[in-house]
Amino acid sequence: MDFGAMMPLAGTLGVTIHEGTKERVAGKLPVRAEICTAGNIVHGGAIMAFADCLGAVGAFLTLPEGATGTTTIESKTNFLGGGPVGSVLIGEATPVKVGKRVSVWQTRIRTEEGADVALVTQTQLVLWPA
């Protein structure tokens, strides 16, 4: 399944998802000038959106039977370093807890060289039919 194609923002940012399972979602974000802030460093909002894309895929893959979808209800980002223009960021989302009503995902983002960029924890609400 092409998860990136299901999320228009992922395409706009250039996010690709190359692994998607209930235990791990991994993807890449090339850092282009269009998603940078001053100093040609990736904007924090782009980092947060990248992590949200990965965590959302994980939450979708772990939906209980009968659920209709998922939405982010909380997100916390710890910025640990910069991602310079021209670099590629690697993200890996893993579940902290998966339940019937919510799931919590943690996404670690690094440069391809392994330098820490951010650690994001998000809570996804499971949506049920009305």
Side-chain angles (χ1 to χ4, degrees):
M1 180 179 290
D2 185 358
F3 297 110
M6 296 173 62
M7 296 178 282
L9 179 61
T12 298
L13 290 173
V15 171
T16 56
I17 298 173
H18 56 269
E19 180 180 342
T21 68
K22 292 180 178 186
E23 294 81 30
R24 180 177 186 266
V25 178
K28 294 182 179 186
L29 173 64
V31 180
R32 308 177 328 272
E34 297 82 11
I35 63 169
C36 286
T37 188
N40 289 318
I41 301 297
V42 67
H43 191 284
I47 291 170
M48 294 165 65
F50 177 37
D52 191 64
C53 289
L54 298 178
V57 169
F60 175 80
L61 291 172
T62 59
L63 285 174
E65 187 173 330
T68 59
T70 181
T71 190
T72 304
I73 58 171
E74 183 178 37
S75 184
K76 182 194 183 307
T77 303
N78 291 100
F79 296 103
L80 307 171
V85 71
S87 66
V88 175
L89 302 183
I90 307 297
E92 177 183 23
T94 55
V96 175
K97 177 177 176 40
V98 175
K100 184 176 179 177
R101 299 182 196 277
V102 298
S103 63
V104 178
W105 290 78
Q106 188 169 67
T107 304
R108 181 171 300 277
I109 299 174
R110 298 182 169 112
T111 64
E112 281 187 310
E113 293 74 29
D116 287 326
V117 174
L119 184 63
V120 181
T121 303
Q122 64 181 195
T123 304
Q124 295 277 338
L125 178 67
V126 175
L127 303 175
W128 294 92

